Structure formats: structure tokens, C-alpha cells
Amino acid sequence: MHGFYALVSGPLVWVAFAVFLGGGAWKLWRLLSTARRKDVFIHEYWSWSHAVQSYLHWLTPFGSENSRRQPVMTVVTFLFHLGVVVVPLFTLGHLVLLEEGALGLSWPALPDAVVDAFAFVVLGGCAYFGWRRLALPQVRSVTSAADWGILALVAAPFATGILAYHGIGDALLMTSLHMLAGEVMLAAIPFTRLSHMFTFWVTRGYTASEFGSVRHVRDW
């Protein structure tokens, strides 16, 4: 078990970050090159003014017409994404590892209780999204096995983190599984639908620029 822990807390961390960063750069390059090939005028009507306004409206709860039509989905989605960002970046244990292993980088951590609550929020969000895929015909009809895989991929590091933090199960095993699940999720981001953390900025900016500069309407 100690060998497994050494593996997931050492070499695999660097492999996961390398795949995440390299894969993310590849994803963006591929998206931009494809867009440029299919629409040679994209750079001419790209508007940072429209793009930034669109970012703000789509990232603000109820800032878009679509989000106002689905209030429950909007609240769950906003809290879910907030938790996905807050827990990895502001957990004290993560920051200690980052400071010790990654060029001394660190920043203030949030209280454990806050981070723990956000981890439960993420799991609750996964449960809600799973329920929608089962209960709503219009969502169920477009759900594939890959969608369930994505939910499991996201839920795993948060579930194992909760188990490790609350001392449920063998501490070393749960911590090791938590780290492995986090590394798998990190490495999978550029190659799954989770890549929208990279592509959102391009696709939203592209849509906003086309709507704003060409059609003269808002995209939110």
C-alpha cells in the first residue's frame, strides 16, 4: 500500500498535470485551427467587447435568458461548478502538497468545514444531473454511456476525498484512491466533455462576436 501511495503522490501527479496542460493546449489549438479553416473571417469579426459581456452574463446566475427559464438547474449548476473549482484549489492538504512539490506555490486555504461542504455540494450536483438523465425524457434520449462515465469521473475524487477526510475506511487506502481519482479526472479533462473548461472561452466568445458584430443581437 505504501508503494501505491508513493506512486500516486509522486510520479503520477506530474504525469496528470503534464497531460492536463499539454492536452489542454492541444485542444485549444485544434479548436482554433478548425474554426479558422471553416470560417476564415472569424478573426475579423471577433469582438472582445461582445465576448466579455457574454462571459459575464453566462457566468452570472440568471444572467442569461436560458438560465432564467430553468432556475433549479441554474442554481445547481452554478454551485456545482463553484465546488469543482473551490475544493481542489483551496483545500489545505492540496495546498501543502503543492507548496512542497511544485516550486513552492501556495495561497490561503479555506476552512476545512467550508471545503467539506462544497465537496458534498459537488456530489449533490452529480446526483441531480444523474436524476435528470433518468427522469426527463428529453435529457434521457440524448444520454449515452459516456455521460454516465463523466459523472462517475467527477464524483470519484470528491467521494473518496470525503471518505478520507471523515476517516471512513482505511486512511491510507482512501487517501491513495482519492489522489488517483483526482489524477485520472485531471488527465481526462482535455479529452472529454470536461474540456469545456478550455473551450468555453473560445466558443462563447465566437458566438457572442458573431451575434453582436454580425447579427447585432445579444447571445444571452
Side-chain angles (χ1 to χ4, degrees):
M1 183 53 65
H2 287 282
F4 178 50
Y5 176 78
L7 178 65
V8 298
S9 63
L12 284 188
V13 175
W14 296 106
V15 171
F17 272 107
V19 173
F20 169 71
L21 294 174
W26 169 81
K27 187 75 178 183
L28 281 175
W29 172 82
R30 187 166 176 265
L31 176 63
L32 291 170
S33 60
T34 301
R36 185 177 180 83
R37 187 171 62 252
K38 293 186 175 181
D39 184 353
V40 296
F41 301 106
I42 180 174
H43 295 296
E44 295 185 12
Y45 61 71
W46 179 278
S47 165
W48 279 110
S49 172
H50 291 110
V52 171
Q53 289 184 66
S54 183
Y55 296 153
L56 293 175
H57 279 86
W58 284 95
L59 291 175
T60 301
F62 307 110
S64 68
E65 177 65 27
N66 189 54
S67 66
R68 288 191 287 274
R69 292 180 179 179
Q70 304 181 76
V72 176
M73 180 67 173
T74 296
V75 171
V76 174
T77 300
F78 179 76
L79 291 176
F80 170 81
H81 282 87
L82 190 61
V84 166
V85 173
V86 164
V87 175
L89 293 181
F90 296 99
T91 296
L92 179 60
H94 296 171
L95 293 175
V96 170
L97 290 174
L98 192 64
E99 186 173 16
E100 292 178 347
L103 305 176
L105 292 176
S106 188
W107 47 84
L110 287 173
D112 289 347
V114 174
V115 176
D116 189 42
F118 269 117
F120 277 103
V121 166
V122 172
L123 287 187
C126 289
Y128 176 76
F129 297 141
W131 170 80
R132 290 183 81 249
R133 294 195 176 283
L134 289 173
L136 303 184
Q138 68 274 27
V139 181
R140 187 170 63 241
S141 65
V142 295
T143 297
S144 66
D147 295 313
W148 291 107
I150 292 293
L151 278 180
L153 192 68
V154 174
F158 293 91
T160 51
I162 288 172
L163 293 174
Y165 175 70
H166 289 278
I168 301 173
D170 181 83
L172 185 58
L173 174 61
M174 288 303 158
T175 301
S176 300
L177 290 176
H178 170 62
M179 298 183 77
L180 178 62
E183 289 157 2
V184 170
M185 176 182 165
L186 191 65
I189 286 174
F191 311 104
T192 64
R193 289 189 180 182
L194 300 176
S195 64
H196 68 269
M197 72 175 294
F198 293 114
T199 59
F200 165 83
W201 310 100
V202 177
T203 56
R204 179 53 50 200
Y206 174 89
T207 303
S209 297
E210 181 181 1
F211 273 62
S213 299
V214 180
R215 306 184 188 185
H216 304 293
V217 294
R218 298 180 300 185
D219 74 321
W220 61 87

